[in-house]
Amino acid sequence: MNIGEIAKRAGVSRSTVSYALSGKRPVSAVTARRINEVIAELGYRPNASARALAEGRTRTLGLVIPPASRRLTTAQLGFVASVVEAAATHDLDVLLSPSGGDHDRSFERMVTGRRVDGAILMEILLDDPRVARLAQSALPFVTIGHVEHPGASWWVDVDYAALIRRCVAHLADLGHRHVVLINRSAELVAAGYGPAVRSTDAFLAAVEECGLTGHVVCCTDEPAAGLSCFAEIRTEWPEVTAAVTINEAALPGLERGLRRAGLDVPRDFSITGVIADRLAEDFHPPLTAADVPAEEMARLAVELLVERIADPAVTPRHALLKPAISLRSSTGASLRPHV
């Protein structure tokens, strides 16, 4: 069943049916009622392409991901899946677009090519040229993370600074006096990756406030790096009894490093951080952590973007999430005498 047959049965033109469905032009109440009666009788549903054409939209959202040359972490892939699921509840598709380096042309085609109705950006830098480019364009967008001076932008983020402070305070309350932050890679920190920079600043401030000795180490996003990173910590700072981390991909390596060192968690060493709940549960023993609410962040990002697409003049909004720390089994009292 198509628009032509509906028009024929209703005794109107095809364009009148199209206007009635899209609302682009007014149609008399009598005509609209007759068209709706025919549609109900025939059980007609316009396909997505026809509806998008009538609305002047693609019904597709762009999701800007890190470069394809950089393997996405399990957490990042989970977020991509959550965005796709959230978009589907709005009857929207998702177009993945890598950015950075050789992929800038792909990003530019998405911005200028009218392929999507709006975009969601992942992995935001404090000074992010992609955000600046989109701000100059007419394409609505929402960021996961926020630049240093977000101004009137739309974004969703986790309050890494507040959560890292809570993690350090938790370890201090347990009697730990020498702690380390296991951060993301040195490249990301140097590039100004928001969570990595904010976590470093918050960690250093928190250890000073709590009267602790703190160290910061960068770690590539992979298990093997986690293993070598923990070996480095044991060599450089053997007095360290606890770690805070935001590096989810390195967790399996950290776990192996603890086992190789013959350390029991949490009797000999405590570990906490800001980590997705599923990965925290997979750690052995389950990780005390502020659980990153990836599904909620994806849902909020899609909802904000849909709102912005529907009304470009609406007041900008954002969401800064502060999930509670879930006390599991990876943190315990320090048994070492204070020195």
Side-chain angles (χ1 to χ4, degrees):
M1 189 58 57
N2 55 40
I3 287 180
E5 187 152 352
I6 293 172
K8 183 178 179 180
R9 292 205 182 195
V12 299
S13 68
R14 291 171 60 94
S15 59
T16 300
V17 174
S18 179
Y19 296 149
L21 291 174
S22 68
K24 276 192 170 182
R25 293 187 184 179
V27 175
S28 72
V30 173
T31 300
R33 184 166 58 250
R34 186 159 68 248
I35 292 171
N36 286 329
E37 287 172 353
V38 172
I39 288 174
E41 178 186 344
L42 299 176
Y44 171 79
R45 288 190 64 191
N47 64 44
S49 297
R51 186 167 63 250
L53 183 61
E55 294 173 350
R57 293 179 179 169
T58 66
R59 298 201 65 79
T60 301
L61 305 181
L63 178 58
V64 183
I65 60 175
S69 57
R70 228 178 73 198
R71 186 176 59 186
L72 295 183
T73 67
T74 300
Q76 289 169 334
L77 288 172
F79 181 78
V80 170
S82 296
V83 168
V84 172
E85 291 177 5
T89 65
H90 296 272
D91 196 22
L92 299 170
D93 296 323
V94 176
L95 172 68
L96 299 184
S97 175
S99 65
D102 295 337
H103 301 283
D104 283 341
R105 284 181 297 177
S106 173
F107 173 68
E108 189 63 26
R109 284 196 301 270
M110 188 199 69
V111 175
T112 61
R114 299 179 61 86
R115 297 182 175 190
V116 297
D117 298 326
I120 296 173
L121 274 69
M122 296 171 56
E123 306 287 304
I124 301 301
L125 307 179
L126 295 180
D127 182 13
D128 201 311
R130 302 170 305 165
V131 175
R133 174 67 184 92
L134 281 170
Q136 296 170 352
S137 76
L139 186 69
F141 70 97
V142 173
T143 61
I144 302 299
H146 63 288
V147 294
E148 187 170 12
H149 304 292
S153 60
W154 296 65
W155 52 270
V156 178
D157 204 356
V158 168
D159 192 345
Y160 279 89
L163 297 178
I164 291 296
R165 285 175 178 269
R166 288 183 195 171
C167 289
V168 172
H170 172 61
L171 295 175
D173 289 344
L174 291 172
H176 295 278
R177 291 295 174 263
H178 298 269
V179 297
V180 63
L181 171 68
I182 301 173
N183 208 329
R184 301 286 294 276
S185 71
E187 291 77 12
L188 280 175
V189 173
Y193 176 57
V197 174
R198 294 185 180 102
S199 294
T200 299
D201 293 344
F203 176 81
L204 294 175
V207 295
E208 183 176 355
E209 290 169 4
C210 295
L212 312 183
T213 299
H215 310 280
V216 178
V217 61
C218 291
C219 182
T220 304
D221 294 345
E222 57 183 16
L227 178 61
S228 59
C229 176
F230 189 74
E232 176 188 345
I233 291 169
R234 295 290 292 166
T235 300
E236 295 292 328
W237 310 296
E239 69 279 7
V240 166
T241 59
V244 180
T245 186
I246 63 169
N247 194 322
E248 298 171 318
L251 283 176
L254 293 174
E255 189 176 342
R256 288 200 298 272
L258 286 159
R259 284 201 305 268
R260 284 191 184 182
L263 298 177
D264 178 81
V265 177
R267 185 190 63 207
D268 303 317
F269 198 93
S270 289
I271 183 167
T272 183
V274 184
I275 301 292
D277 57 356
R278 182 178 59 79
L279 297 175
E281 292 287 356
D282 287 344
F283 196 82
H284 182 74
L287 198 69
T288 292
D291 299 334
V292 175
E295 292 184 4
E296 181 183 4
M297 293 177 72
R299 177 183 58 80
L300 286 171
V302 170
E303 288 179 355
L304 287 176
L305 184 55
V306 168
E307 180 181 349
R308 188 174 186 186
I309 291 169
D311 184 2
V314 70
T315 302
R317 297 201 294 119
H318 66 266
L320 185 62
L321 307 181
K322 299 181 183 181
I325 292 180
S326 298
L327 295 175
R328 297 187 178 96
S329 308
S330 67
T331 52
S334 173
L335 301 182
R336 290 193 188 181
H338 297 165
V339 292

